[in-house]
Structure formats: C-alpha cells, structure tokens
Amino acid sequence: MRRLLPATDAPGSAPSGAPPETAAEVDLDLVYAYPSDVVDAGRPWLRANMVSSLDGAAQAGDGLSAGLSSPGDKRIFGVLRALADVVLVGASTVRAEGYRPPKPQPAYAPARTAAGRPPVPVIAIVTRSLELDFTTPLFTEAEVPTVVLTGPECDPDRLAEARKYADVVIAGEPGSTGVDIGAAVDALAARGWTRLLTEGGPHLLGQLVMAGRLDELCLALGPLLLGGAAPRITNGPAPEVPQAMELHTLLEEDGFLFARYVRNPTG
C-alpha cells in the first residue's frame, strides 16, 4: 500500500517532492488517527467506512459488500475498528452481513484499557422495529454489552425483551417516530464514546448525512464495473445543502484506492 496524496497538514505527511511510500512505510494508525483536538475535548467525531465499485455500487451481485473488498480494505477495516470507541450500524446490515462481536486485539487492547476505553469497540445497532435475534453471538458473546438504539414509539413488548440482552437507548423525544439519529449520536458521545465509526448500511449513512452528523468518509474504491441497480453508499432523502468534503489522504494497493475525506468547515 502506498500513499498517493497526503494532505499538506495531515499527521505524518511526507515532505513535498518525496517519493511515494511503500507498504511497510505507511502507518495506518497515523493516517486514520482521530483528530485529538476534537475527541479529547469530549466532542464526537463520526466517520463512515464504506466500499464502492467504480460505477458507484455499494453491493456486489449477492447483495453484500464483501464482494467489493480486498486485503487492503480488510486491513483498513481492522484499523478503523481498533481506533473507534463505538461502531454504529443499521439493523438490516447486521442481519445481512452476519455481524459478530469484535475481539480484543493484542496490539490495541492494553492501550485502550489503560486509557479507560473499552478493550474493543462497542457495537451500537440502530433499529426502529427491534427485530433482532438476541441469541446470536453479537449479544451472547460480546466483550462489552451491545447497544441498541431505538425510537420512543417502539413496541413495548419488544423493548422489554431487548433490555434483557442489550444496553438499550431511546433516541428521540416522546411522540416522535423512528430513531432520531442526531440524538443517537449525542447519546453515545455522552457516555464518553467520542470516536465514532459507522459501517452503514446505505440507509443509515443517508440518515447521518441528512442530519449533518457525518464528519468523515473513508471510501474504498474497487476496480470493478458492476452495472445493474445496486444501491449507492447513501440511500435516502438528499440534504437541503450538499455536504462539502475535503480529500485528506489517498492510498493505493493493487488498483484499489482508499480515500479519506473530512468535512469542509466552510462547506
């Protein structure tokens, strides 16, 4: 993996005119470090990690994102999870992708624990219906309790059942429908989990963009043309004003591009 385009003010940027870095020289922990001035001040920073084909498909022919991935994408996926306090994901993605709980990584867990952070990122599932299988490892084998984020008008029987197996958060004001995604983000940050990562799916990412809560997009672009009617990485109503982003860093490996975009503060 080589760095094609570091931002001039990015941590660890190579001097101007320096040759591209080799795989051994690219420090992914440094490239994808959360902005310390934000998260250490107790403010949330929400990044998304998504993969797409060249023609914009967020899923391969089997309806899953794995068919678009690569070894480099998987390495970055692991680093992003290791750096995060919490992984925010939609219930439909949990079901489709067969989510399992993260396991402690020796390279990260001791430092996380010493800093007072969970040894692994917490999985936080956004669900309006509470239609979840609480017998899966995501609930029975998690190192830290899985969080379920739901709305105030959820079914009371399902809510009572969910509370037996998960840490349930009601995100939204009484009388509102669905999950207030902004309130969900704020509830996670209020617990000290300021390093937020979402892995989608497209509907959840669309909600976050619509609410103006996305600070960063880590996008893996696979060298594939899939055609068809696969969804984009965002799926939902368009925001009134498109969110402007700035390219922070661009990496390449085996024809795959790995771009890190951050919110344009003036956009």
Side-chain angles (χ1 to χ4, degrees):
M1 187 173 293
R2 59 195 182 114
R3 190 195 304 247
L4 298 180
L5 182 63
T8 55
D9 58 349
S13 297
S16 178
E21 293 171 295
T22 65
E25 294 170 331
V26 176
D27 185 340
L28 294 178
D29 288 354
L30 188 61
V31 169
Y32 290 101
Y34 281 85
S36 58
D37 60 325
V38 175
V39 297
D40 291 346
R43 302 194 304 274
W45 181 272
L46 176 62
R47 67 167 35 138
N49 183 33
M50 301 294 283
V51 62
S52 170
S53 69
L54 289 178
D55 52 348
Q59 298 173 351
D62 58 1
L64 304 177
S65 61
L68 299 172
S69 188
S70 72
D73 180 46
K74 290 180 172 64
R75 291 202 304 278
I76 291 173
F77 177 93
V79 168
L80 295 183
R81 277 202 167 190
L83 297 177
D85 294 326
V86 60
V87 177
L88 187 64
V89 63
S92 59
T93 298
V94 166
R95 291 188 290 265
E97 303 279 355
Y99 262 57
R100 298 184 64 85
K103 298 299 182 184
Q105 298 186 40
Y108 296 94
R112 292 176 63 101
T113 302
R117 300 168 61 199
V120 295
V122 178
I123 301 294
I125 306 170
V126 179
T127 172
R128 177 178 179 176
S129 67
L130 289 173
E131 292 182 358
L132 298 167
D133 183 353
F134 297 109
T135 67
T136 63
L138 191 55
F139 296 98
T140 61
E141 299 177 12
E143 291 283 332
V144 291
T146 295
V147 171
V148 170
L149 298 153
T150 192
E153 299 302 307
C154 61
D155 180 271
D157 292 334
R158 288 179 177 172
L159 177 60
E161 183 71 7
R163 282 178 165 155
K164 296 177 183 178
Y165 303 99
D167 180 359
V168 179
V169 175
I170 305 297
E173 295 297 326
S176 62
T177 59
V179 181
D180 182 330
I181 200 64
V185 171
D186 292 339
L188 296 173
R191 298 181 175 207
W193 299 335
T194 55
R195 298 166 180 84
L196 307 179
L197 169 67
T198 181
E199 297 169 352
H203 180 67
L204 175 59
L205 185 54
Q207 288 181 295
L208 291 165
V209 171
M210 181 70 178
R213 302 309 296 262
L214 189 70
D215 298 296
E216 177 181 330
L217 173 63
C218 299
L219 179 63
L221 191 64
L224 299 168
L225 294 171
L226 294 180
R232 296 161 49 187
I233 64 169
T234 59
N235 183 12
E240 292 185 9
V241 179
Q243 181 170 325
M245 307 291 284
E246 292 182 347
L247 182 61
H248 182 281
T249 311
L250 183 64
L251 308 177
E252 182 273 339
E253 182 179 84
D254 296 332
F256 283 77
L257 296 178
F258 305 97
R260 181 184 178 192
Y261 286 91
V262 297
R263 179 193 294 272
N264 186 326
T266 62

PDB file of all heavy atoms in Angstrom, residues 87 89 94 100-102 121-125 132 134 136-149 162 165-169 191 193:
ATOM      1  N   VAL A  87     -19.013   1.321  17.145  1.00  0.00           N
ATOM      2  CA  VAL A  87     -19.352   1.101  15.740  1.00  0.00           C
ATOM      3  C   VAL A  87     -20.861   1.188  15.610  1.00  0.00           C
ATOM      4  O   VAL A  87     -21.600   0.383  16.191  1.00  0.00           O
ATOM      5  CB  VAL A  87     -18.852  -0.273  15.243  1.00  0.00           C
ATOM      6  CG1 VAL A  87     -19.276  -0.505  13.794  1.00  0.00           C
ATOM      7  CG2 VAL A  87     -17.338  -0.364  15.369  1.00  0.00           C
ATOM      8  N   VAL A  89     -24.208   0.885  13.432  1.00  0.00           N
ATOM      9  CA  VAL A  89     -24.601   0.093  12.267  1.00  0.00           C
ATOM     10  C   VAL A  89     -26.108  -0.110  12.261  1.00  0.00           C
ATOM     11  O   VAL A  89     -26.741  -0.191  13.320  1.00  0.00           O
ATOM     12  CB  VAL A  89     -23.848  -1.267  12.264  1.00  0.00           C
ATOM     13  CG1 VAL A  89     -24.210  -2.095  13.477  1.00  0.00           C
ATOM     14  CG2 VAL A  89     -24.081  -2.035  10.984  1.00  0.00           C
ATOM     15  N   VAL A  94     -26.699  -5.536  10.020  1.00  0.00           N
ATOM     16  CA  VAL A  94     -26.347  -6.574  10.998  1.00  0.00           C
ATOM     17  C   VAL A  94     -26.882  -7.927  10.543  1.00  0.00           C
ATOM     18  O   VAL A  94     -26.169  -8.947  10.581  1.00  0.00           O
ATOM     19  CB  VAL A  94     -26.907  -6.208  12.388  1.00  0.00           C
ATOM     20  CG1 VAL A  94     -26.849  -7.405  13.339  1.00  0.00           C
ATOM     21  CG2 VAL A  94     -26.137  -5.037  12.974  1.00  0.00           C
ATOM     22  N   ARG A 100     -20.732 -10.137  13.954  1.00  0.00           N
ATOM     23  CA  ARG A 100     -20.262 -10.793  15.156  1.00  0.00           C
ATOM     24  C   ARG A 100     -19.573  -9.757  16.042  1.00  0.00           C
ATOM     25  O   ARG A 100     -19.140  -8.710  15.563  1.00  0.00           O
ATOM     26  CB  ARG A 100     -19.296 -11.944  14.820  1.00  0.00           C
ATOM     27  CG  ARG A 100     -19.936 -13.054  13.993  1.00  0.00           C
ATOM     28  CD  ARG A 100     -18.957 -14.197  13.771  1.00  0.00           C
ATOM     29  NE  ARG A 100     -18.588 -14.841  15.019  1.00  0.00           N
ATOM     30  CZ  ARG A 100     -19.290 -15.800  15.602  1.00  0.00           C
ATOM     31  NH1 ARG A 100     -20.418 -16.238  15.044  1.00  0.00           N
ATOM     32  NH2 ARG A 100     -18.889 -16.345  16.740  1.00  0.00           N
ATOM     33  N   PRO A 101     -19.428 -10.045  17.329  1.00  0.00           N
ATOM     34  CA  PRO A 101     -18.808  -9.060  18.222  1.00  0.00           C
ATOM     35  C   PRO A 101     -17.302  -8.960  17.974  1.00  0.00           C
ATOM     36  O   PRO A 101     -16.646  -9.966  17.667  1.00  0.00           O
ATOM     37  CB  PRO A 101     -19.098  -9.624  19.616  1.00  0.00           C
ATOM     38  CG  PRO A 101     -19.246 -11.093  19.400  1.00  0.00           C
ATOM     39  CD  PRO A 101     -19.875 -11.248  18.046  1.00  0.00           C
ATOM     40  N   PRO A 102     -16.717  -7.773  18.094  1.00  0.00           N
ATOM     41  CA  PRO A 102     -15.264  -7.627  17.957  1.00  0.00           C
ATOM     42  C   PRO A 102     -14.537  -8.375  19.069  1.00  0.00           C
ATOM     43  O   PRO A 102     -15.045  -8.516  20.183  1.00  0.00           O
ATOM     44  CB  PRO A 102     -15.041  -6.110  18.079  1.00  0.00           C
ATOM     45  CG  PRO A 102     -16.380  -5.491  17.852  1.00  0.00           C
ATOM     46  CD  PRO A 102     -17.391  -6.482  18.331  1.00  0.00           C
ATOM     47  N   PRO A 121     -14.261  -1.988  20.448  1.00  0.00           N
ATOM     48  CA  PRO A 121     -15.340  -1.039  20.200  1.00  0.00           C
ATOM     49  C   PRO A 121     -16.699  -1.648  20.517  1.00  0.00           C
ATOM     50  O   PRO A 121     -16.932  -2.837  20.322  1.00  0.00           O
ATOM     51  CB  PRO A 121     -15.204  -0.722  18.706  1.00  0.00           C
ATOM     52  CG  PRO A 121     -14.489  -1.893  18.130  1.00  0.00           C
ATOM     53  CD  PRO A 121     -13.558  -2.362  19.199  1.00  0.00           C
ATOM     54  N   VAL A 122     -17.588  -0.826  21.019  1.00  0.00           N
ATOM     55  CA  VAL A 122     -18.956  -1.241  21.288  1.00  0.00           C
ATOM     56  C   VAL A 122     -19.728  -1.250  19.969  1.00  0.00           C
ATOM     57  O   VAL A 122     -19.589  -0.333  19.158  1.00  0.00           O
ATOM     58  CB  VAL A 122     -19.626  -0.263  22.274  1.00  0.00           C
ATOM     59  CG1 VAL A 122     -21.074  -0.651  22.533  1.00  0.00           C
ATOM     60  CG2 VAL A 122     -18.840  -0.181  23.576  1.00  0.00           C
ATOM     61  N   ILE A 123     -20.523  -2.278  19.732  1.00  0.00           N
ATOM     62  CA  ILE A 123     -21.417  -2.290  18.576  1.00  0.00           C
ATOM     63  C   ILE A 123     -22.735  -1.651  18.989  1.00  0.00           C
ATOM     64  O   ILE A 123     -23.348  -2.062  19.983  1.00  0.00           O
ATOM     65  CB  ILE A 123     -21.661  -3.716  18.054  1.00  0.00           C
ATOM     66  CG1 ILE A 123     -20.342  -4.378  17.647  1.00  0.00           C
ATOM     67  CG2 ILE A 123     -22.629  -3.692  16.870  1.00  0.00           C
ATOM     68  CD1 ILE A 123     -19.658  -3.738  16.476  1.00  0.00           C
ATOM     69  N   ALA A 124     -23.159  -0.636  18.244  1.00  0.00           N
ATOM     70  CA  ALA A 124     -24.424   0.055  18.518  1.00  0.00           C
ATOM     71  C   ALA A 124     -25.322  -0.092  17.298  1.00  0.00           C
ATOM     72  O   ALA A 124     -24.985   0.378  16.211  1.00  0.00           O
ATOM     73  CB  ALA A 124     -24.172   1.522  18.831  1.00  0.00           C
ATOM     74  N   ILE A 125     -26.463  -0.739  17.491  1.00  0.00           N
ATOM     75  CA  ILE A 125     -27.368  -1.065  16.381  1.00  0.00           C
ATOM     76  C   ILE A 125     -28.543  -0.093  16.377  1.00  0.00           C
ATOM     77  O   ILE A 125     -29.223   0.081  17.392  1.00  0.00           O
ATOM     78  CB  ILE A 125     -27.898  -2.508  16.525  1.00  0.00           C
ATOM     79  CG1 ILE A 125     -26.734  -3.497  16.654  1.00  0.00           C
ATOM     80  CG2 ILE A 125     -28.775  -2.880  15.341  1.00  0.00           C
ATOM     81  CD1 ILE A 125     -27.174  -4.897  17.041  1.00  0.00           C
ATOM     82  N   LEU A 132     -34.554  -8.064  16.168  1.00  0.00           N
ATOM     83  CA  LEU A 132     -33.188  -8.545  16.302  1.00  0.00           C
ATOM     84  C   LEU A 132     -33.196  -9.942  16.905  1.00  0.00           C
ATOM     85  O   LEU A 132     -34.079 -10.282  17.702  1.00  0.00           O
ATOM     86  CB  LEU A 132     -32.373  -7.609  17.203  1.00  0.00           C
ATOM     87  CG  LEU A 132     -32.218  -6.161  16.711  1.00  0.00           C
ATOM     88  CD1 LEU A 132     -31.676  -5.286  17.838  1.00  0.00           C
ATOM     89  CD2 LEU A 132     -31.301  -6.101  15.500  1.00  0.00           C
ATOM     90  N   PHE A 134     -31.630 -12.066  19.455  1.00  0.00           N
ATOM     91  CA  PHE A 134     -30.812 -11.908  20.649  1.00  0.00           C
ATOM     92  C   PHE A 134     -30.078 -13.190  21.045  1.00  0.00           C
ATOM     93  O   PHE A 134     -29.379 -13.206  22.065  1.00  0.00           O
ATOM     94  CB  PHE A 134     -31.674 -11.404  21.807  1.00  0.00           C
ATOM     95  CG  PHE A 134     -32.254 -10.042  21.560  1.00  0.00           C
ATOM     96  CD1 PHE A 134     -33.611  -9.878  21.319  1.00  0.00           C
ATOM     97  CD2 PHE A 134     -31.437  -8.929  21.540  1.00  0.00           C
ATOM     98  CE1 PHE A 134     -34.145  -8.620  21.079  1.00  0.00           C
ATOM     99  CE2 PHE A 134     -31.966  -7.666  21.306  1.00  0.00           C
ATOM    100  CZ  PHE A 134     -33.319  -7.510  21.065  1.00  0.00           C
ATOM    101  N   THR A 136     -27.885 -14.546  18.930  1.00  0.00           N
ATOM    102  CA  THR A 136     -26.655 -14.553  18.135  1.00  0.00           C
ATOM    103  C   THR A 136     -25.460 -14.133  18.987  1.00  0.00           C
ATOM    104  O   THR A 136     -25.615 -13.496  20.042  1.00  0.00           O
ATOM    105  CB  THR A 136     -26.780 -13.610  16.933  1.00  0.00           C
ATOM    106  OG1 THR A 136     -26.947 -12.261  17.421  1.00  0.00           O
ATOM    107  CG2 THR A 136     -27.973 -13.987  16.057  1.00  0.00           C
ATOM    108  N   PRO A 137     -24.232 -14.456  18.541  1.00  0.00           N
ATOM    109  CA  PRO A 137     -23.041 -14.077  19.308  1.00  0.00           C
ATOM    110  C   PRO A 137     -22.905 -12.589  19.563  1.00  0.00           C
ATOM    111  O   PRO A 137     -22.260 -12.184  20.535  1.00  0.00           O
ATOM    112  CB  PRO A 137     -21.895 -14.586  18.422  1.00  0.00           C
ATOM    113  CG  PRO A 137     -22.482 -15.735  17.665  1.00  0.00           C
ATOM    114  CD  PRO A 137     -23.907 -15.324  17.393  1.00  0.00           C
ATOM    115  N   LEU A 138     -23.505 -11.757  18.725  1.00  0.00           N
ATOM    116  CA  LEU A 138     -23.415 -10.312  18.928  1.00  0.00           C
ATOM    117  C   LEU A 138     -23.986  -9.902  20.279  1.00  0.00           C
ATOM    118  O   LEU A 138     -23.587  -8.881  20.848  1.00  0.00           O
ATOM    119  CB  LEU A 138     -24.156  -9.599  17.789  1.00  0.00           C
ATOM    120  CG  LEU A 138     -23.972  -8.090  17.654  1.00  0.00           C
ATOM    121  CD1 LEU A 138     -22.491  -7.725  17.551  1.00  0.00           C
ATOM    122  CD2 LEU A 138     -24.728  -7.570  16.452  1.00  0.00           C
ATOM    123  N   PHE A 139     -24.892 -10.711  20.808  1.00  0.00           N
ATOM    124  CA  PHE A 139     -25.466 -10.429  22.124  1.00  0.00           C
ATOM    125  C   PHE A 139     -24.988 -11.405  23.193  1.00  0.00           C
ATOM    126  O   PHE A 139     -24.890 -11.039  24.362  1.00  0.00           O
ATOM    127  CB  PHE A 139     -26.993 -10.466  22.033  1.00  0.00           C
ATOM    128  CG  PHE A 139     -27.569  -9.410  21.143  1.00  0.00           C
ATOM    129  CD1 PHE A 139     -27.922  -9.714  19.835  1.00  0.00           C
ATOM    130  CD2 PHE A 139     -27.736  -8.114  21.589  1.00  0.00           C
ATOM    131  CE1 PHE A 139     -28.442  -8.742  19.000  1.00  0.00           C
ATOM    132  CE2 PHE A 139     -28.252  -7.136  20.765  1.00  0.00           C
ATOM    133  CZ  PHE A 139     -28.604  -7.445  19.455  1.00  0.00           C
ATOM    134  N   THR A 140     -24.673 -12.633  22.811  1.00  0.00           N
ATOM    135  CA  THR A 140     -24.320 -13.640  23.816  1.00  0.00           C
ATOM    136  C   THR A 140     -22.824 -13.733  24.084  1.00  0.00           C
ATOM    137  O   THR A 140     -22.419 -14.269  25.118  1.00  0.00           O
ATOM    138  CB  THR A 140     -24.827 -15.027  23.378  1.00  0.00           C
ATOM    139  OG1 THR A 140     -24.197 -15.400  22.137  1.00  0.00           O
ATOM    140  CG2 THR A 140     -26.343 -15.016  23.191  1.00  0.00           C
ATOM    141  N   GLU A 141     -21.985 -13.210  23.166  1.00  0.00           N
ATOM    142  CA  GLU A 141     -20.536 -13.372  23.313  1.00  0.00           C
ATOM    143  C   GLU A 141     -19.781 -12.051  23.291  1.00  0.00           C
ATOM    144  O   GLU A 141     -18.548 -12.039  23.214  1.00  0.00           O
ATOM    145  CB  GLU A 141     -19.995 -14.288  22.206  1.00  0.00           C
ATOM    146  CG  GLU A 141     -20.585 -15.691  22.220  1.00  0.00           C
ATOM    147  CD  GLU A 141     -20.089 -16.545  21.068  1.00  0.00           C
ATOM    148  OE1 GLU A 141     -19.117 -16.120  20.385  1.00  0.00           O
ATOM    149  OE2 GLU A 141     -20.652 -17.633  20.838  1.00  0.00           O
ATOM    150  N   ALA A 142     -20.454 -10.936  23.360  1.00  0.00           N
ATOM    151  CA  ALA A 142     -19.801  -9.630  23.258  1.00  0.00           C
ATOM    152  C   ALA A 142     -18.934  -9.342  24.486  1.00  0.00           C
ATOM    153  O   ALA A 142     -19.339  -9.610  25.617  1.00  0.00           O
ATOM    154  CB  ALA A 142     -20.844  -8.532  23.092  1.00  0.00           C
ATOM    155  N   GLU A 143     -17.738  -8.796  24.251  1.00  0.00           N
ATOM    156  CA  GLU A 143     -16.845  -8.415  25.343  1.00  0.00           C
ATOM    157  C   GLU A 143     -17.448  -7.286  26.168  1.00  0.00           C
ATOM    158  O   GLU A 143     -17.255  -7.219  27.388  1.00  0.00           O
ATOM    159  CB  GLU A 143     -15.493  -7.965  24.769  1.00  0.00           C
ATOM    160  CG  GLU A 143     -14.667  -9.076  24.143  1.00  0.00           C
ATOM    161  CD  GLU A 143     -13.988  -9.935  25.185  1.00  0.00           C
ATOM    162  OE1 GLU A 143     -13.694  -9.428  26.296  1.00  0.00           O
ATOM    163  OE2 GLU A 143     -13.741 -11.130  24.890  1.00  0.00           O
ATOM    164  N   VAL A 144     -18.108  -6.381  25.497  1.00  0.00           N
ATOM    165  CA  VAL A 144     -18.844  -5.290  26.157  1.00  0.00           C
ATOM    166  C   VAL A 144     -20.271  -5.354  25.632  1.00  0.00           C
ATOM    167  O   VAL A 144     -20.493  -5.736  24.480  1.00  0.00           O
ATOM    168  CB  VAL A 144     -18.203  -3.924  25.883  1.00  0.00           C
ATOM    169  CG1 VAL A 144     -16.864  -3.813  26.583  1.00  0.00           C
ATOM    170  CG2 VAL A 144     -18.042  -3.667  24.398  1.00  0.00           C
ATOM    171  N   PRO A 145     -21.258  -5.009  26.454  1.00  0.00           N
ATOM    172  CA  PRO A 145     -22.650  -5.162  26.008  1.00  0.00           C
ATOM    173  C   PRO A 145     -22.935  -4.404  24.717  1.00  0.00           C
ATOM    174  O   PRO A 145     -22.534  -3.258  24.545  1.00  0.00           O
ATOM    175  CB  PRO A 145     -23.457  -4.587  27.182  1.00  0.00           C
ATOM    176  CG  PRO A 145     -22.559  -4.727  28.369  1.00  0.00           C
ATOM    177  CD  PRO A 145     -21.175  -4.536  27.850  1.00  0.00           C
ATOM    178  N   THR A 146     -23.628  -5.069  23.812  1.00  0.00           N
ATOM    179  CA  THR A 146     -24.069  -4.433  22.587  1.00  0.00           C
ATOM    180  C   THR A 146     -25.154  -3.409  22.916  1.00  0.00           C
ATOM    181  O   THR A 146     -26.027  -3.650  23.749  1.00  0.00           O
ATOM    182  CB  THR A 146     -24.607  -5.485  21.607  1.00  0.00           C
ATOM    183  OG1 THR A 146     -23.513  -6.340  21.229  1.00  0.00           O
ATOM    184  CG2 THR A 146     -25.205  -4.856  20.365  1.00  0.00           C
ATOM    185  N   VAL A 147     -25.075  -2.253  22.264  1.00  0.00           N
ATOM    186  CA  VAL A 147     -26.052  -1.183  22.462  1.00  0.00           C
ATOM    187  C   VAL A 147     -27.106  -1.261  21.372  1.00  0.00           C
ATOM    188  O   VAL A 147     -26.789  -1.502  20.198  1.00  0.00           O
ATOM    189  CB  VAL A 147     -25.359   0.193  22.448  1.00  0.00           C
ATOM    190  CG1 VAL A 147     -26.390   1.327  22.443  1.00  0.00           C
ATOM    191  CG2 VAL A 147     -24.430   0.329  23.646  1.00  0.00           C
ATOM    192  N   VAL A 148     -28.354  -1.062  21.744  1.00  0.00           N
ATOM    193  CA  VAL A 148     -29.459  -0.984  20.786  1.00  0.00           C
ATOM    194  C   VAL A 148     -30.067   0.404  20.880  1.00  0.00           C
ATOM    195  O   VAL A 148     -30.481   0.842  21.965  1.00  0.00           O
ATOM    196  CB  VAL A 148     -30.523  -2.064  21.069  1.00  0.00           C
ATOM    197  CG1 VAL A 148     -31.774  -1.817  20.229  1.00  0.00           C
ATOM    198  CG2 VAL A 148     -29.957  -3.445  20.784  1.00  0.00           C
ATOM    199  N   LEU A 149     -30.092   1.121  19.753  1.00  0.00           N
ATOM    200  CA  LEU A 149     -30.650   2.465  19.684  1.00  0.00           C
ATOM    201  C   LEU A 149     -31.989   2.399  18.976  1.00  0.00           C
ATOM    202  O   LEU A 149     -32.061   1.976  17.819  1.00  0.00           O
ATOM    203  CB  LEU A 149     -29.701   3.385  18.918  1.00  0.00           C
ATOM    204  CG  LEU A 149     -28.315   3.572  19.546  1.00  0.00           C
ATOM    205  CD1 LEU A 149     -27.296   3.905  18.472  1.00  0.00           C
ATOM    206  CD2 LEU A 149     -28.349   4.664  20.594  1.00  0.00           C
ATOM    207  N   ALA A 162     -35.681  -6.657  24.517  1.00  0.00           N
ATOM    208  CA  ALA A 162     -34.354  -6.155  24.161  1.00  0.00           C
ATOM    209  C   ALA A 162     -33.539  -5.799  25.399  1.00  0.00           C
ATOM    210  O   ALA A 162     -32.320  -6.032  25.452  1.00  0.00           O
ATOM    211  CB  ALA A 162     -34.485  -4.942  23.248  1.00  0.00           C
ATOM    212  N   TYR A 165     -31.171  -8.343  27.013  1.00  0.00           N
ATOM    213  CA  TYR A 165     -29.958  -8.803  26.338  1.00  0.00           C
ATOM    214  C   TYR A 165     -29.022  -7.691  25.893  1.00  0.00           C
ATOM    215  O   TYR A 165     -27.877  -7.967  25.517  1.00  0.00           O
ATOM    216  CB  TYR A 165     -30.348  -9.610  25.087  1.00  0.00           C
ATOM    217  CG  TYR A 165     -31.245 -10.772  25.389  1.00  0.00           C
ATOM    218  CD1 TYR A 165     -32.623 -10.690  25.202  1.00  0.00           C
ATOM    219  CD2 TYR A 165     -30.728 -11.964  25.889  1.00  0.00           C
ATOM    220  CE1 TYR A 165     -33.454 -11.759  25.477  1.00  0.00           C
ATOM    221  CE2 TYR A 165     -31.545 -13.044  26.174  1.00  0.00           C
ATOM    222  CZ  TYR A 165     -32.924 -12.930  25.966  1.00  0.00           C
ATOM    223  OH  TYR A 165     -33.747 -13.993  26.250  1.00  0.00           O
ATOM    224  N   ALA A 166     -29.480  -6.457  25.917  1.00  0.00           N
ATOM    225  CA  ALA A 166     -28.682  -5.370  25.369  1.00  0.00           C
ATOM    226  C   ALA A 166     -28.834  -4.113  26.211  1.00  0.00           C
ATOM    227  O   ALA A 166     -29.754  -3.983  27.026  1.00  0.00           O
ATOM    228  CB  ALA A 166     -29.105  -5.082  23.921  1.00  0.00           C
ATOM    229  N   ASP A 167     -27.918  -3.194  26.000  1.00  0.00           N
ATOM    230  CA  ASP A 167     -27.968  -1.863  26.599  1.00  0.00           C
ATOM    231  C   ASP A 167     -28.813  -1.003  25.657  1.00  0.00           C
ATOM    232  O   ASP A 167     -28.370  -0.626  24.577  1.00  0.00           O
ATOM    233  CB  ASP A 167     -26.548  -1.329  26.708  1.00  0.00           C
ATOM    234  CG  ASP A 167     -26.466   0.054  27.325  1.00  0.00           C
ATOM    235  OD1 ASP A 167     -27.523   0.618  27.668  1.00  0.00           O
ATOM    236  OD2 ASP A 167     -25.342   0.576  27.437  1.00  0.00           O
ATOM    237  N   VAL A 168     -30.042  -0.709  26.029  1.00  0.00           N
ATOM    238  CA  VAL A 168     -30.992  -0.043  25.137  1.00  0.00           C
ATOM    239  C   VAL A 168     -31.018   1.456  25.400  1.00  0.00           C
ATOM    240  O   VAL A 168     -31.108   1.895  26.554  1.00  0.00           O
ATOM    241  CB  VAL A 168     -32.414  -0.626  25.292  1.00  0.00           C
ATOM    242  CG1 VAL A 168     -33.388   0.101  24.374  1.00  0.00           C
ATOM    243  CG2 VAL A 168     -32.405  -2.120  24.979  1.00  0.00           C
ATOM    244  N   VAL A 169     -30.956   2.231  24.331  1.00  0.00           N
ATOM    245  CA  VAL A 169     -31.011   3.692  24.408  1.00  0.00           C
ATOM    246  C   VAL A 169     -32.205   4.165  23.576  1.00  0.00           C
ATOM    247  O   VAL A 169     -32.341   3.776  22.400  1.00  0.00           O
ATOM    248  CB  VAL A 169     -29.720   4.334  23.873  1.00  0.00           C
ATOM    249  CG1 VAL A 169     -29.845   5.859  23.856  1.00  0.00           C
ATOM    250  CG2 VAL A 169     -28.519   3.901  24.706  1.00  0.00           C
ATOM    251  N   ARG A 191     -21.673   9.203  26.729  1.00  0.00           N
ATOM    252  CA  ARG A 191     -21.046   8.128  27.505  1.00  0.00           C
ATOM    253  C   ARG A 191     -19.523   8.164  27.405  1.00  0.00           C
ATOM    254  O   ARG A 191     -18.844   7.273  27.915  1.00  0.00           O
ATOM    255  CB  ARG A 191     -21.561   6.770  27.008  1.00  0.00           C
ATOM    256  CG  ARG A 191     -23.060   6.603  27.189  1.00  0.00           C
ATOM    257  CD  ARG A 191     -23.526   5.252  26.719  1.00  0.00           C
ATOM    258  NE  ARG A 191     -24.949   5.064  27.001  1.00  0.00           N
ATOM    259  CZ  ARG A 191     -25.516   3.883  27.188  1.00  0.00           C
ATOM    260  NH1 ARG A 191     -24.789   2.776  27.101  1.00  0.00           N
ATOM    261  NH2 ARG A 191     -26.801   3.795  27.442  1.00  0.00           N
ATOM    262  N   TRP A 193     -17.926   8.111  24.497  1.00  0.00           N
ATOM    263  CA  TRP A 193     -17.523   7.444  23.258  1.00  0.00           C
ATOM    264  C   TRP A 193     -17.512   8.477  22.137  1.00  0.00           C
ATOM    265  O   TRP A 193     -18.471   8.632  21.390  1.00  0.00           O
ATOM    266  CB  TRP A 193     -18.488   6.307  22.935  1.00  0.00           C
ATOM    267  CG  TRP A 193     -18.542   5.250  23.988  1.00  0.00           C
ATOM    268  CD1 TRP A 193     -17.567   4.929  24.884  1.00  0.00           C
ATOM    269  CD2 TRP A 193     -19.639   4.371  24.274  1.00  0.00           C
ATOM    270  NE1 TRP A 193     -17.982   3.903  25.710  1.00  0.00           N
ATOM    271  CE2 TRP A 193     -19.251   3.537  25.357  1.00  0.00           C
ATOM    272  CE3 TRP A 193     -20.902   4.195  23.715  1.00  0.00           C
ATOM    273  CZ2 TRP A 193     -20.083   2.556  25.889  1.00  0.00           C
ATOM    274  CZ3 TRP A 193     -21.736   3.221  24.249  1.00  0.00           C
ATOM    275  CH2 TRP A 193     -21.329   2.408  25.318  1.00  0.00           C
TER     276      TRP A 193
END
